[in-house]
Amino acid sequence: MADFNSMQEAVIGGNLPEATRLTQEALDEGTAPSAIVNDGLIPGMLVVGEKFKNNEFYVPEVLIAARAMKGAMALVKPFLKEGDMPALATVAIGTVQGDLHDIGKNLVAMMLEGAGFKVMDLGVDVSPEKFIEAVSDGASVVALSALLTTTMPNIGRTIEALKEAGLKDGVKVIIGGAPVTQAYCDEIGADGYSPDAGSCVDMLKALIA
Amino acid sequence: MAQTRRELLLDALHCRPTPRTPWVPYVGCHGGKLLHLPADVYLRDPEYIATGVATAAERYRADGLPVVFDLQVEAEALGCELVWSSENPPAVNSHPLAHGLDLSDLPEITPDSGRLPVVIEAIRRARARVGDEVALFGLVTGPFTLALHLLGSDIFLEMVLNEERIHALLAYCADIAGRVGEWYREAGCDVVAAVDPMTSQISPAHFAQFIAPVAAPLWQRWAAVGATTALFVCGDAWRNVPGMCATKPDALFVDEQIDLVAMGEVARAHGVAFGGNIPLTTVLLLGNTDDARRAARQCIELGGATGYVLAPGCDMPYDTKPENVAAVAEVVHGDFTGEIAAKEAAAVTIELPDYTKPGEVLVEVVTLDSLSCAPCQYMVEAVRAVEAQFGGQVRWVEHKLKEDDTIPLMMALGVKSIPTIIIDGAVTFSSIIPEATKLRESIEARLAAKA
Ligand code: B12
């Protein structure tokens, strides 16, 4: 029987050797790859999100946990059959034009990936055109991050551009970053907002349910 | 000789008592706005910067000012590429150590590297403009933030996976900061401060492991050349505040997420002065003058009487409304003209107390708040001491400025400064604390007149 508890602990503690060892062991024992992901790795990452939200974890702890998760996932992936683990959705995430803050955006990307979303990370200073391109390439969720009051309006501009391209109805737009609020989200017609990376996962799951 | 604003501020930064709370508006790229210049023009010209500083000193009646608020100066000098913007300081766009370079590959930094000559010249010229009246802050990129610029976000993983590399990088960055701070001091800055917003993103354990060992010697190095030292942290650094105070800069300046009362307790326990934290966006950028005054008063009240400096939470946005910053200055300098004009325009009035009661004199003390403003406290104590000698014939009340009815009362009675003692409706002592005998005589005269 695979030791899912220890696997979760290894992810939470950012222990890459332990996470990969336990994952390999479970694979060798014949544990279903999807069970390893769903019962071992993802729950670990969700705890990480929770701890970050509660200020028990800081940026380094989250990144190191995400690294352990990624390493373990790399072992499982070749064994996942088509349809075994359908991605919850494909998310194109980026920091809006003019803004180069990426720490928060990276954490959101990792939490989403850790929770089973497919993530296309477009980086920082991302123009509306690049988001449009990503939607044409298959993203069904657009995630916009802005940390500056001067770049926050570019969230609205990106949404407008999606509308003009006739793509807005087909996608969900979620937004965040320190100056962004639920009120702003409502005002500009985005679909979802969350104040941190941990709650972003729940928010997006509810949104696409 | 009267104390200069600069001396007042330096007293507070060394936890000595001051007659009022000193104030340091962080005019960074906002200086460009004051001169109607884009940030990317302003931040590259020493004459513009010096003019911005002099303009802010006058318009915002500052006790101290940063000369330049730009955390990219050192990074640029060390080879990071910048992206310029008209309404923000520039941003770092490339991280040399992430692309295969070692510390030994980075260029030697000198006072002629990158924009350092601009900053150093701006300090000289600003000093010539403001003379000894206003304190100047030289803001240096803090070691952890400079390390992030050089290495990029990998720094967070490397803190766990490659501790030695990060220790070496931080020692390097602290040495750069040390040198730049010395140059700024030599050019004429009174205070040298490390601005290290990145330290708000790590745990207390990592702060103790990586930052504290380089921070403490940095303050000592700057103190050795005669500078007053400070650490500025933008962002929610609350959990690292005790660790920061323990490194013993002269002062720690914090952002709006931090509770000033709790901050004050920690700082005072360490003998460190502290400053902050008027909200930038909600108040200074988007709020109005009433919001600015209210926030300033609240900070002054929470910050307390000694070892506290009023300041914004972090660098003021370019588009900050000048009238909001000026409104903060009014509060600092106990000037109510703007507020009185506003209340007059709104035609706010109140009912005055009955000043004609026989056998009783009503003494009203108008204060900022006797709990936080030292002169106000002395004024209240003076009244309290004398009251006891009249056995019930004197009743006294304190009107704190933050209370809704206080400004209308001041308008009705013609109170122009704070603190003020009003005896049965007559403004009797303003600003200067009366001697006990004088105060007693005034009350006796009033009682006699009523008899
Ligand atoms: C670290 C930092 C930097 C670093 C950035 C490093 C990097 N690679 O990202 C450096 C030093 C380079 C930097 C530069 C600048 N910064 Co800066 N920076 C910060 C600081 C201290 C922390 C930001 C951070 O990383 N937080 C940690 C992460 C985990 O939190 P987060 O980003 O908020 O993200 C979380 C949530 O918001 C949410 N979230 C984020 N994105 C998204 C997206 C979605 C879809 C969802 C659902 C959720 C979500 O989840 C995240 C995880 O929980 C903030 C202070 C603050 N109060 O935020 C200032 C701050 C953002 N910076 C500021 C400024 C002004 C600047 C500069 C313009 C100027 C300067 N002083 O040099 C430059 C601008 C560069 C540019 N053009 O972008 C201001 C912005 C003011 C304003 N309101 O406009 C702030 C608020 C500081 C301040 N008080 O003045 N900065």
Side-chain angles (χ1 to χ4, degrees):
Chain A
M1 189 40 211
D3 189 351
F4 291 133
N5 258 336
S6 304
M7 218 180 272
Q8 287 174 27
E9 287 307 321
V11 169
I12 297 166
N15 190 337
L16 175 66
E18 185 69 1
T20 47
R21 188 184 67 78
L22 289 166
T23 302
Q24 191 59 55
E25 230 174 66
L27 286 170
D28 294 347
E29 281 172 15
T31 312
S34 58
I36 298 178
V37 179
N38 287 328
D39 301 331
L41 304 177
I42 290 182
M45 212 48 207
L46 293 179
V47 173
V48 171
E50 202 57 33
K51 284 185 180 282
F52 180 72
K53 195 158 94 188
N54 298 334
N55 289 311
E56 285 170 64
F57 270 18
Y58 294 78
V59 177
E61 290 79 11
V62 176
L63 296 185
I64 209 82
R67 170 176 167 273
M69 162 108 190
K70 258 192 181 155
M73 277 301 286
L75 292 180
V76 185
K77 261 197 187 136
F79 299 98
L80 284 173
K81 289 190 292 291
E82 191 79 26
D84 241 4
M85 283 280 313
L88 293 172
T90 301
V91 183
I93 190 168
T95 307
V96 295
Q97 199 156 40
D99 202 323
L100 300 168
H101 290 86
D102 67 354
I103 298 170
K105 182 265 297 168
N106 291 348
L107 294 187
V108 171
M110 278 165 197
M111 289 307 305
L112 290 176
E113 211 162 34
F117 289 89
K118 183 173 173 215
V119 173
M120 302 160 74
D121 190 342
L122 308 182
V124 296
D125 191 16
V126 180
S127 64
E129 295 72 43
K130 283 199 206 139
F131 282 109
I132 289 175
E133 216 178 285
V135 172
S136 313
D137 289 346
S140 59
V141 177
V142 171
L144 305 169
S145 179
L147 267 283
L148 299 167
T149 39
T150 48
T151 57
M152 210 165 80
N154 292 340
I155 295 181
R157 275 181 212 132
T158 306
I159 294 178
E160 283 312 309
L162 284 168
K163 277 188 190 153
E164 271 165 38
L167 295 171
K168 172 70 186 70
D169 290 341
V171 299
K172 298 285 180 203
V173 177
I174 60 170
I175 67 174
V180 179
T181 58
Q182 184 62 51
Y184 182 72
C185 172
D186 299 341
E187 186 187 318
I188 62 166
D191 299 298
Y193 157 81
S194 84
D196 61 78
S199 41
C200 174
V201 170
D202 297 337
M203 180 269 285
L204 185 54
K205 276 185 182 163
L207 206 58
I208 60 171
Chain B
M1 218 189 71
Q3 198 183 30
T4 62
R5 289 184 271 165
R6 172 177 158 274
E7 289 165 338
L8 174 98
L9 171 61
L10 291 175
D11 272 351
L13 291 174
H14 292 281
C15 298
R16 295 188 286 263
T18 50
R20 65 166 169 82
T21 304
W23 134 254
V24 181
Y26 302 158
V27 176
C29 60
H30 175 68
K33 160 121 173 159
L34 289 178
L35 305 184
H36 307 286
L37 291 169
D40 49 340
V41 173
Y42 178 78
L43 287 173
R44 289 196 258 212
D45 185 298
E47 187 55 26
Y48 288 150
I49 296 168
T51 308
V53 171
T55 307
E58 194 184 314
R59 188 126 164 219
Y60 300 151
R61 293 189 267 176
D63 299 302
L65 280 165
V67 181
V68 170
F69 204 126
D70 178 346
L71 306 186
Q72 286 63 235
V73 172
E74 294 87 344
E76 182 186 22
L78 293 169
C80 294
E81 281 163 33
L82 300 191
V83 185
W84 284 88
S85 146
S86 59
E87 294 200 351
N88 275 310
V92 164
N93 195 25
S94 73
H95 312 291
L97 300 181
H99 306 302
L101 294 187
D102 281 328
L103 284 178
S104 56
D105 298 321
L106 297 180
E108 182 73 16
I109 196 166
T110 74
D112 290 321
S113 311
R115 259 180 313 134
L116 278 165
V118 173
V119 179
I120 291 170
E121 183 57 25
I123 294 170
R124 291 203 187 102
R125 293 190 193 189
R127 175 52 78 205
R129 294 283 187 92
V130 302
D132 278 340
E133 186 58 36
V134 177
L136 295 179
F137 284 64
L139 301 190
V140 174
T141 309
F144 194 43
T145 300
L146 180 57
L148 173 89
H149 285 328
L150 294 175
L151 181 56
S153 305
D154 278 356
I155 193 167
F156 293 116
L157 284 180
E158 298 274 284
M159 286 168 75
V160 181
L161 302 175
N162 201 346
E163 298 177 19
E164 281 321 305
R165 182 178 190 207
I166 300 307
H167 278 299
L169 175 59
L170 285 169
Y172 170 89
C173 292
D175 182 53
I176 299 283
R179 283 148 75 175
V180 172
E182 286 169 357
W183 297 330
Y184 289 176
R185 167 69 187 152
E186 200 188 324
C189 283
D190 305 282
V191 182
V192 178
V195 188
D196 218 345
M198 288 307 300
T199 54
S200 63
Q201 304 306 322
I202 55 172
S203 67
H206 274 149
F207 185 88
Q209 183 186 355
F210 289 106
I211 314 298
V214 295
L218 190 56
W219 319 139
Q220 288 161 17
R221 182 168 174 180
W222 289 338
V225 292
T228 295
T229 62
L231 171 60
F232 283 32
V233 244
C234 309
D236 185 358
W238 171 242
R239 281 171 186 75
N240 284 324
V241 159
M244 289 170 175
C245 287
T247 66
K248 290 276 197 180
D250 291 316
L252 176 63
F253 286 77
V254 293
D255 208 344
E256 60 194 83
Q257 298 86 350
I258 297 207
D259 173 41
L260 274 191
V261 174
M263 174 67 229
E265 280 168 18
V266 177
R268 289 189 176 101
H270 286 86
V272 171
F274 66 105
N277 64 352
I278 305 173
L280 288 177
T281 309
T282 50
V283 173
L284 294 178
L285 178 67
L286 303 174
N288 59 28
T289 50
D290 269 343
D291 299 326
R293 276 188 281 261
R294 200 174 309 122
R297 270 189 198 117
Q298 191 182 358
C299 286
I300 291 174
E301 179 181 338
L302 299 178
T306 47
Y308 167 68
V309 175
L310 181 65
C314 193
D315 186 17
M316 298 199 303
Y318 180 87
D319 255 337
T320 299
K321 291 181 194 147
E323 64 269 26
N324 288 354
V325 190
V328 173
E330 283 181 14
V331 170
V332 168
H333 292 274
D335 162 4
F336 312 104
T337 42
E339 225 159 338
I340 289 175
K343 295 264 164 138
E344 261 166 10
V348 181
T349 52
I350 53 149
E351 203 170 309
L352 291 172
D354 179 8
Y355 295 128
T356 60
K357 275 193 195 156
E360 183 192 279
V361 170
L362 177 61
V363 179
E364 292 164 285
V365 193
V366 183
T367 66
L368 217 47
D369 184 342
S370 60
L371 293 178
S372 58
C373 136
C376 302
Q377 184 193 342
Y378 303 143
M379 197 103 110
V380 164
E381 276 167 10
V383 171
R384 200 180 273 142
V386 168
E387 175 215 12
Q389 304 167 8
F390 283 90
Q393 285 179 300
V394 169
R395 198 162 64 82
W396 77 277
V397 288
E398 177 179 354
H399 298 292
K400 300 179 183 182
L401 196 63
K402 62 179 180 196
E403 294 160 359
D404 281 346
D405 284 349
T406 302
I407 291 271
L409 178 97
M410 290 167 70
M411 286 159 59
L413 298 179
V415 176
K416 290 279 183 298
S417 59
I418 279 187
T420 280
I421 294 179
I422 302 162
I423 299 180
D424 269 347
V427 173
T428 313
F429 301 101
S430 272
S431 297
I432 296 160
I433 323 289
E435 288 168 30
T437 43
K438 287 257 171 59
L439 180 57
R440 209 166 42 232
E441 281 165 21
S442 305
I443 295 173
E444 278 163 358
R446 177 64 193 159
L447 274 172
K450 268 184 165 177

